Amino acid sequence: MKVEDVKVVGVLGAGTMGAGIAQVCAMAGFEVVLRDIEDRFLERGLNNIRKSLEKFAAKGKLSEDVETIMGRIKPTTKLEDLADVDLVIEAIIENMEVKKETFRQLNEIVKREDAIFASNTSTLSITEMAAVTRKPENFVGIHFMNPVPVMKGVEIVRGLLTSDETLEFAVEFTKKLGKEPVVCRDSPGFISNRILMPWINEGIWVLYEGVATKEEIDRGMRLFTNVPMGPLELADLIGLDICLAAIETLHRELGDKYRPCPLLKQMVQAGLLGRKTGRGFYDYTQK
């Protein structure tokens, strides 16, 4: 398939990543079917998309009005409504079995024989997901960064059976969205999280061991490395549950040097997940 053949993109999941993916696809002129399991998740996702578009409009960064772009996004709770899509991008819960079951169902639903299936997973195996689909050569990882509308980089992950044509499609598609693709092979954590998550985890270990306060850890890393956010601030932005899932995958696949800090596990158990719950390493309820 060529990028110019794509008219309708299906996006699975209306959370932070899925909503962002739906937004950039709609901004690029594609019709989008945005699916989540409950209306309340869709409503929240659509509200977040509208707010983001309004910010872009206020800065003069939209070539069309907000309503035109929003009109391209069709929300649904029915997986069957993805029957006529040309490309599916999955951005649901970071659980391999749930993802595989979703793709098994899509095998029976999506009509187009040469449709491309893609996953936005940050750490899980593209090859394993592709194995349950009818054409694993048409399966590829397209891993966007958060926040999707702002971040330029996208990881294009080649599974064991991903074809050259599918890889080229993914590269050209992300360029069509105004992104800059970086290609890698299927490996736990790929490039971004293979490097980023141990950095975040080590920051949590430094806090756990009492080496420094959270404020000094983050301030120090901003000053020492010129990054915009320290590891604990970034963990709060990403979501501590997402960080833990990624680190546990690295630990399971690559060994003990990736062992998650006990403090991270405790905070997830306590429901302190970062910005999305109002509290993580920092309190956002007063801001």
Side-chain angles (χ1 to χ4, degrees):
M1 187 192 298
K2 302 293 185 183
V3 173
E4 51 266 29
D5 297 328
V6 176
K7 300 296 185 291
V8 185
V9 178
V11 178
L12 298 176
T16 299
M17 298 305 294
I21 294 167
Q23 177 182 328
V24 296
C25 288
M27 288 171 65
F30 296 104
E31 297 294 320
V32 178
V33 179
L34 178 61
R35 189 260 182 178
D36 212 315
I37 57 174
E38 293 185 30
D39 286 328
R40 62 191 178 104
F41 298 143
L42 289 166
E43 290 170 10
R44 184 171 60 194
L46 290 170
N47 286 336
N48 288 337
I49 292 170
R50 182 177 293 278
K51 289 176 184 177
S52 177
L53 289 172
E54 288 172 349
K55 289 179 182 178
F56 275 87
K59 296 176 181 178
K61 294 185 176 181
L62 290 183
S63 58
E64 299 175 293
D65 63 81
V66 171
E67 293 307 320
T68 297
I69 297 170
M70 290 295 300
R72 295 195 184 105
I73 304 173
K74 307 297 189 292
T76 183
T77 57
K78 298 177 181 178
L79 202 60
E80 293 77 12
D81 287 342
L82 276 76
D84 296 318
V85 304
D86 305 298
L87 163 67
V88 175
I89 305 175
E90 169 273 313
I92 63 174
I93 184 172
E94 196 74 340
N95 179 290
M96 178 60 81
E97 293 309 313
V98 175
K99 290 180 187 291
K100 288 198 294 187
E101 179 55 32
T102 301
F103 283 117
R104 286 190 189 98
Q105 294 178 48
L106 287 171
N107 276 330
E108 307 302 320
I109 291 170
V110 176
K111 296 176 184 176
R112 183 165 183 162
E113 283 299 315
D114 63 344
I116 302 294
F117 287 1
S119 176
N120 181 63
T121 181
S122 57
T123 56
L124 299 178
S125 171
I126 296 301
T127 301
E128 185 174 347
M129 280 182 262
V132 304
T133 65
R134 62 196 180 203
K135 289 190 175 181
E137 66 272 20
N138 286 9
F139 199 105
V140 65
I142 304 180
H143 178 213
F144 293 84
M145 304 297 131
N146 184 26
V148 178
V150 176
M151 298 293 284
K152 285 288 188 182
V154 178
E155 277 183 311
I156 307 299
V157 186
R158 182 172 199 160
L160 183 63
L161 298 178
T162 303
S163 69
D164 292 343
E165 293 76 15
T166 299
L167 192 71
E168 180 181 355
F169 169 88
V171 167
E172 293 306 315
F173 176 76
T174 50
K175 287 181 179 178
K176 178 78 173 178
L177 302 183
K179 304 301 184 184
E180 296 185 20
V182 177
V183 177
C184 66
R185 67 175 178 82
D186 191 15
S187 179
F190 317 132
I191 299 170
S192 60
N193 283 320
R194 175 77 176 263
I195 297 169
L196 180 63
M197 286 303 158
W199 184 71
I200 288 174
N201 193 42
E202 197 63 26
I204 301 170
W205 274 106
V206 170
L207 177 66
Y208 181 65
E209 293 171 1
V211 176
T213 65
K214 58 180 181 284
E215 292 85 1
E216 290 297 270
I217 293 167
D218 283 333
R219 189 171 73 91
M221 292 311 296
R222 291 196 305 270
L223 289 170
F224 304 152
T225 64
N226 205 32
V227 293
M229 304 180 78
L232 307 178
E233 296 168 304
L234 184 56
D236 276 356
L237 176 64
I238 294 170
L240 271 62
D241 54 335
I242 294 172
C243 290
L244 178 59
I247 294 166
E248 286 181 331
T249 297
L250 293 171
H251 183 217
R252 182 172 62 252
E253 298 291 337
L254 299 174
D256 200 50
K257 72 176 182 177
Y258 296 96
R259 182 166 64 94
C261 179
L263 177 58
L264 176 58
K265 289 185 175 182
Q266 288 176 334
M267 293 185 70
V268 171
Q269 290 167 349
L272 304 177
L273 306 184
R275 288 179 179 270
K276 61 186 175 185
T277 58
R279 287 181 62 196
F281 290 105
Y282 297 91
D283 188 343
Y284 302 93
T285 59
Q286 306 302 318
K287 298 181 180 180

